[in-house]
Amino acid sequence: MDIRIELTQNPKAKPTDESKLGFGRIFSDHMFLMNYTDGIGWHDPRIVPYGPFMLDPACMVLHYAQEVFEGMKAYRTADGTIQLFRPYENARRFAASCERLCVPQMDEDMFVEGITKLVEIDQDWVPYSPETSLYLRPFVFATDEHLGVHASKTYQYAVIAAPSGCYYPEGINPVRIYVESRDVRAVRGGTGYTKCGGNYAASIRAGQIAEDRGYTQVLWLDGVEQKYIEEVGSMNVMFKINGKIITPALTGSVLPGITRMSCLELLRNWGYEVEERLLSAEELFDAAESGALEEAWGTGTAAVVSPIGEMAWDERSCIVNEGKIGPTVQKLYDTITGIQWGKLEDTMDWILKVTK
Ligand SMILES: *Cc1c(COP(=O)(O)O)cnc(C)c1O
């Protein structure tokens, strides 16, 4: 790809206190842009100074949400190398999301090359402190100026980068979650398996209610029978029941997480029996009450793993592993973050180095 590069004349001051980075509030100096026009294809790949878009008020995405995004991180290792974790998996999922939303797909190499080039240019924005990273947000949206409901003929693709702090500055503390029995996130035949903005819009109300009641995350039930466990917040979810790992199957309404896939590969390598299947809230709470539920955790790029210490569902509630982090989730965290930050050997071939 022939990427045009226009460097900023006004570099921003980098955050001096990396313990105050938080997540997704500060952005690097540049962004990667590319456009799509029907009949021409993807064109004009460029890296330009970070800044606002000018959009026509009739811009299609503002009305019908034809939009898709991804989320991944660049990590700085002890020897200064900057690296990505399984970026081709993000490229594949981005293509699958685009297909569902009728957004033109882009070549996987093109997707990875744009991200790699941006990280290379903004490499000083990858923070240095332990467990920090540069969060990368590729996204694409419909730009036709037209109020008709159909696939747009033009699109804007962009990648922005946000230096992000350590997710667990106070150590890993298990969270309280709330099983949502009114709102659903995704339905059969819908867009649940895609990373599209619309899925998130539908999830905000339940998240707010859970927060008001003192819970950190929503545990979603399926949108058809409202009976089976799907995901927790914006993470996939796993349970250890009687020594076995059980996680909801990818039925179409569950997002196929790359952290989920990585955890399952590790767990199978470690000799665990892993079941990807339907798991009802009733089975889960029965297992918790009988003492069979040993550990529960969410998985996702932001937190890697997030142990669940307490769950509530209508009148039922339970404590998991005495509200403490369990050995399986701790081992997953240590292994995945060890590979990401280059402290462990990349035996799974998951790393793509951006700088040497
Ligand atoms: C992104 C996302 C996940 C986690 O996916 P990762 O690839 O592991 O980051 C899980 N659920 C939802 C709804 C998501 O959007």
Side-chain angles (χ1 to χ4, degrees):
M1 215 176 10
D2 193 8
I3 304 174
R4 179 171 68 81
I5 295 172
E6 179 195 332
L7 296 181
T8 181
Q9 299 302 310
N10 303 298
K12 292 179 265 193
K14 304 217 170 47
T16 44
D17 186 355
E18 291 190 347
S19 71
K20 295 210 168 65
L21 282 174
F23 173 77
R25 286 184 287 111
I26 302 165
F27 297 92
S28 71
D29 275 331
H30 299 92
M31 58 184 180
F32 176 86
L33 299 180
M34 188 157 61
N35 292 80
Y36 182 91
T37 308
D38 212 24
I40 300 175
W42 287 107
H43 60 88
D44 204 11
R46 59 206 186 272
I47 287 175
V48 295
Y50 183 93
F53 293 120
M54 272 266 277
L55 295 178
D56 189 280
C59 180
M60 278 187 52
V61 67
L62 300 177
H63 302 273
Y64 308 124
Q66 198 192 1
E67 186 265 1
V68 160
F69 68 95
E70 266 303 323
M72 57 205 290
K73 288 171 171 177
Y75 308 85
R76 186 184 293 281
T77 70
D79 69 9
T81 310
I82 293 167
Q83 53 192 31
L84 301 171
F85 182 74
R86 313 190 79 174
Y88 279 91
E89 296 299 338
N90 294 92
R92 268 189 276 281
R93 184 170 65 193
F94 189 68
S97 298
C98 285
E99 194 278 330
R100 177 65 181 82
L101 276 285
C102 287
V103 174
Q105 295 175 38
M106 83 177 62
D107 187 78
E108 288 171 13
D109 289 319
M110 209 185 239
F111 176 90
V112 174
E113 193 185 337
I115 288 163
T116 307
K117 195 73 196 165
L118 178 67
V119 172
E120 209 183 300
I121 296 224
D122 276 346
Q123 55 181 273
D124 291 347
W125 284 91
V126 183
Y128 291 77
S129 312
E131 298 185 40
T132 58
S133 59
L134 184 67
Y135 182 80
L136 298 158
R137 169 54 58 86
F139 60 108
V140 62
F141 58 91
T143 51
D144 276 10
E145 295 151 13
H146 183 191
L147 296 182
V149 180
H150 61 75
S152 181
K153 290 180 167 40
T154 60
Y155 296 85
Q156 177 71 59
Y157 172 73
V159 185
I160 56 175
S164 296
C166 172
Y167 196 88
Y168 292 113
E170 277 125 44
I172 306 180
N173 287 314
V175 296
R176 303 179 70 214
I177 62 163
Y178 163 86
V179 181
E180 171 59 44
S181 40
R182 178 176 62 156
D183 291 356
V184 297
R185 193 191 77 93
V187 294
R188 190 183 295 162
T191 55
Y193 68 91
T194 72
K195 249 180 147 61
C196 72
N199 289 343
Y200 279 78
S203 79
I204 289 172
R205 182 170 72 176
Q208 253 177 13
I209 293 171
E211 240 172 75
D212 290 346
R213 296 184 187 169
Y215 296 92
T216 319
Q217 297 274 356
V218 171
L219 185 61
W220 296 104
L221 298 179
D222 74 279
V224 179
E225 295 177 70
Q226 289 184 261
K227 196 169 141 188
Y228 299 103
I229 304 290
E230 297 231 306
E231 307 200 41
V232 53
S234 52
M235 290 186 283
N236 295 108
V237 67
M238 299 181 181
F239 305 94
K240 188 166 164 226
I241 300 177
N242 279 330
K244 250 192 273 185
I245 310 295
I246 300 171
T247 191
L250 301 177
T251 50
S253 45
V254 174
L255 195 288
I258 295 162
T259 320
R260 173 189 185 276
M261 176 199 291
S262 306
C263 285
L264 297 185
E265 286 172 31
L266 288 173
L267 289 161
R268 286 185 169 119
N269 283 352
W270 294 338
Y272 282 99
E273 200 177 320
V274 175
E275 290 181 358
E276 297 176 64
R277 64 167 171 89
L278 295 180
L279 171 68
S280 67
E282 186 162 350
E283 180 183 346
L284 177 64
F285 277 74
D286 286 350
E289 277 158 29
S290 73
L293 176 65
E294 296 160 29
E295 292 177 68
W297 65 93
T299 71
T301 296
V304 186
V305 289
S306 176
I308 295 166
E310 192 181 334
M311 304 189 290
W313 174 40
D314 294 337
E315 305 304 307
R316 296 171 80 172
S317 71
C318 63
I319 303 284
V320 186
N321 193 40
E322 299 170 353
K324 295 189 297 231
I325 181 167
T328 317
V329 55
Q330 183 73 58
K331 189 172 173 192
L332 284 169
Y333 183 81
D334 293 343
T335 307
I336 293 177
T337 58
I339 293 171
Q340 288 170 335
W341 277 282
K343 287 179 279 187
L344 292 179
E345 195 192 335
D346 177 26
T347 51
M348 307 293 283
D349 204 14
W350 283 342
I351 293 300
L352 179 72
K353 289 188 192 309
V354 175
T355 65
K356 293 285 171 306

